[in-house]
C-alpha cells in the first residue's frame, strides 16, 4: 500500500489572469479550487492513473472540512486526522506566458500530541512492507527531531520511505535512511549549502545526500527535466511542453509517475534499465501536469511518453539556466 502524508495541506485556488499589475483591479479569465499539498497531489495523480493509495491529511476548521470533501468527491481514499488549527488556503495567479505567482499561508501548528497521533496513524496505515510518501513543508514550529523520529520509525518498521520536503527536514530524512528523496533544484541547493549552476553540481549534491544515508535522489529541474542518482548510476532526461499552463503540482505528478512505475525498487536495486523506464514515466507525468490548468493531475490520455528524451550520460558541465 502506498500511503501519502501531507503534514501541511491546503485549499488551492488558482486564478488565471491576463497580466499581474500591482494596484490594479484584475479580471480573472478562469478560476479553479482544488485540494492542495504535495502528498495530496501524489495521491490524486496515482488515482487518476488507476494506482491505489491512501492519503493521510491532518486538517481542521471549515477549510479542512472542505478539503476532505473535495478529495472524497474526486474518489481519493483519504483519512482525515483532526487537529485544532485551521487548514491553510493558498492562491496561485497564473498568466498566459506561464508566469506563476503564489501566495501561500504558513498553515497551523501541530501540538506534540497531534504529531504523535499522526505518526502512529502513518505506521498503522502503511503496515510492514508498505510505502510511506511524506511530502511538503513541515507545519510551523515542528521540531526537526520530531520529523526525524517519524522517518526513523517508518524505516525501522520495514516500510519504504520516500520524502519530498526541504531544509532541515530534508536532511533529517536523508540521515534517517529514506529510500528516495525528491528535492527540486532550489531545495537541493539549500540543503547542501551552495548554488547549483550545472548538471555536475546537481549530481554531486545528490551524491552528498546519498552519503548521508539516502538510497536515491530524484532531483526535479523544472523545464530542464530531472536527474536520477542511484546505486546504478546517473540518468537525466526531459520532456518538452509546447504550451505550458501551470507548473503547480508538476513535481508531485513526476514523483507519482516514478512511484507508479516501480522506480523506488528499481533505484534501490541499482537496475539502470528499470530505473530508465520509471524516469521516463515520471517525466511524462510531470510534463502532462504542466500542460493542464491549476493543479489538475494528468490522466492516461494526457501522458505522452514519446516526448521524453533520456540522457544516460548527461553533459554534466552544461550550465543550468539561472532560476527566476
Amino acid at each position: 500500500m502506498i500511503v501519502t502524508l501531507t503534514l501541511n495541506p491546503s485549499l488551492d485556488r488558482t486564478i488565471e489572469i491576463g497580466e499581474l499589475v500591482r494596484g490594479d483591479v484584475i479580471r480573472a479569465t478562469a478560476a479553479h479550487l482544488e485540494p492542495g499539498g504535495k502528498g495530496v497531489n501524489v495521491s490524486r495523480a496515482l488515482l487518476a492513473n488507476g494506482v491505489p493509495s491512501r492519503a493521510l491529511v491532518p486538517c481542521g476548521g471549515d477549510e479542512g472540512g472542505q478539503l476532505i470533501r473535495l478529495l472524497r468527491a474526486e474518489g481519493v481514499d483519504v483519512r482525515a486526522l483532526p487537529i485544532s488549527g485551521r487548514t491553510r488556503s493558498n492562491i496561485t495567479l497564473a498568466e498566459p506566458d506561464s508566469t506563476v505567482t503564489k501566495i501561500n499561508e504558513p498553515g497551523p501548528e501541530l501540538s506534540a500530541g497531534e504529531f504523535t497521533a499522526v505518526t502512529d496513524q502513518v505506521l498503522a496505515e502503511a503496515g510492514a512492507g508498505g510505502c510511506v510518501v511524506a511530502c511538503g513543508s513541515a507545519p510551523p514550529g515542528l521540531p526537526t527531531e520530531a520529523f526525524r523520529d517519524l522517518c526513523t520509525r517508518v524505516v525501522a518498521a520495514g516500510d519504504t520511505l520516500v520524502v519530498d520536503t526541504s531544509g532541515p527536514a530534508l536532511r533529517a530524512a536523508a540521515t534517517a535512511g529514506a529510500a528516495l528523496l525528491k528535492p527540486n533544484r532550489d531545495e537541493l541547493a539549500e540543503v547542501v549549502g551552495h548554488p547549483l549552476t550545472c548538471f555536475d553540481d546537481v549530481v554531486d549534491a545528490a551524491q552528498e545526500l546519498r552519503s548521508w544515508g539516502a538510497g536515491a535522489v530524484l532531483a526535479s529541474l523544472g523545464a530542464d527535466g530531472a536527474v536520477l542518482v542511484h546505486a546504478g548510476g546517473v540518468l537525466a532526461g526531459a520532456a518538452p511542453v509546447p504550451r505550458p499552463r501551470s507548473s503547480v503540482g508538476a513535481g508531485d505528478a513526476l514523483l507519482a509517475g516514478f512511484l507508479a512505475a516501480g522506480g523506488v525498487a528499481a533505484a534501490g536495486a541499482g537496475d539502470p534499465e528499470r530505473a530508465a523506464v520509471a524516469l521516463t514515466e515520471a517525466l511524462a507525468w510531470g510534463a502532462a501536469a504542466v500542460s493542464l490548468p491549476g493543479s489538475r493531475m494528468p490522466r492516461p490520455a494526457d501522458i505522452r511518453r514519446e516526448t521524453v528524451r533520456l540522457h544516460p550520460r548527461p553533459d554534466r558541465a552544461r550550465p543550468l539556466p539561472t532560476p527566476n
Side-chain angles (χ1 to χ4, degrees):
M1 167 66 76
I2 296 176
V3 173
T4 67
L5 172 64
T6 308
L7 286 172
N8 201 10
S10 62
L11 282 175
D12 281 3
R13 186 178 299 277
T14 300
I15 303 173
E16 297 187 30
I17 59 176
E19 182 182 3
L20 177 60
V21 180
R22 291 184 63 197
D24 271 11
V25 174
I26 301 171
R27 305 295 181 187
T29 58
H32 314 273
L33 180 64
E34 292 160 312
K38 286 182 173 292
V40 162
N41 285 337
V42 170
S43 277
R44 293 172 65 220
L46 291 171
L47 172 66
N49 290 273
V51 180
S53 73
R54 179 166 296 154
L56 303 186
V57 183
C59 57
D62 292 341
E63 293 85 351
Q66 188 173 15
L67 171 64
I68 297 302
R69 289 192 295 273
L70 286 170
L71 287 169
R72 287 177 175 159
E74 289 189 10
V76 175
D77 180 0
V78 58
R79 296 289 186 272
L81 309 180
I83 60 173
S84 59
R86 176 185 63 83
T87 297
R88 62 180 178 153
S89 295
N90 296 335
I91 296 175
T92 297
L93 302 176
E95 299 176 64
D97 65 355
S98 302
T99 299
V100 172
T101 303
K102 299 189 68 175
I103 305 171
N104 291 350
E105 292 186 352
E109 294 188 11
L110 269 63
S111 69
E114 288 171 338
F115 189 74
T116 297
V118 167
T119 301
D120 291 343
Q121 190 66 31
V122 168
L123 294 168
E125 295 283 355
C131 179
V132 174
V133 185
C135 299
S137 59
L142 182 72
T144 301
E145 285 303 318
F147 185 76
R148 180 182 287 109
D149 179 65
L150 182 153
C151 294
T152 301
R153 289 181 64 186
V154 169
V155 173
D159 297 322
T160 298
L161 176 64
V162 176
V163 177
D164 179 0
T165 188
S166 60
L170 181 60
R171 177 185 283 269
T175 58
L180 177 74
L181 302 178
K182 202 234 49 91
N184 63 29
R185 176 185 173 182
D186 291 339
E187 292 162 348
L188 187 56
E190 178 189 17
V191 78
V192 298
H194 59 78
L196 308 179
T197 60
C198 64
F199 280 96
D200 195 44
D201 290 343
V202 173
V203 172
D204 289 345
Q207 293 288 22
E208 185 170 349
L209 266 62
R210 294 190 67 236
S211 75
W212 297 345
V217 177
L218 176 62
S220 56
L221 305 176
D224 284 290
V227 174
L228 174 65
V229 181
H230 65 113
V234 177
L235 186 63
V241 180
R243 295 182 180 179
R245 294 191 65 181
S246 173
S247 61
V248 179
D252 310 324
L254 180 141
L255 176 56
F258 194 76
L259 293 170
V264 181
D271 186 330
E273 292 186 2
R274 289 169 55 206
V277 171
L279 182 58
T280 297
E281 197 75 0
L283 290 165
W285 287 36
V290 172
S291 68
L292 297 171
S295 59
R296 187 180 303 172
M297 293 293 106
R299 298 182 178 276
D302 303 312
I303 297 169
R304 300 285 183 267
R305 297 169 185 83
E306 69 276 6
T307 67
V308 176
R309 296 293 180 267
L310 297 184
H311 312 288
R313 295 189 179 183
D315 180 0
R316 295 178 67 193
R318 179 166 72 84
L320 291 169
T322 301
N324 294 328

